[in-house]
Amino acid sequence: TNALEQLAELAQGGGGLFRRKASADTRACAVSAIARIRHPDVRGIVLKATQDKEAVVRNAANRALREVPE
């Protein structure tokens, strides 16, 4: 869905060539919101966020994995 795509882009940083990267808090919130969406692609997006360099994002992703069905 369109909302999932936008949140996934935000969770991954959302920085383009001339755009600033989203803050760690914003990315963590995006990961939490993604976990609430019932879609088959959600688990892969959240798993990718567990590899983020910021601890806030990793923690949010690990918490979200408990909510996401396999």
Side-chain angles (χ1 to χ4, degrees), residues 7-68:
L7 284 171
E9 182 180 330
L10 191 58
Q12 294 169 3
L17 184 59
F18 295 109
R19 293 191 321 191
R20 289 179 42 174
K21 190 172 185 177
S23 72
D25 290 332
T26 302
R27 295 194 321 264
C29 288
V31 169
S32 297
I34 288 169
R36 288 179 168 78
I37 298 174
R38 299 294 177 217
H39 192 273
D41 296 339
V42 167
R43 188 161 187 83
I45 296 167
V46 174
L47 278 172
K48 187 183 277 188
T50 61
Q51 304 300 316
D52 196 275
K53 67 178 181 175
E54 296 287 341
V56 174
V57 180
R58 287 193 311 265
N59 290 338
N62 286 322
R63 266 185 264 117
L65 275 178
R66 292 183 217 132
E67 299 175 15
V68 176

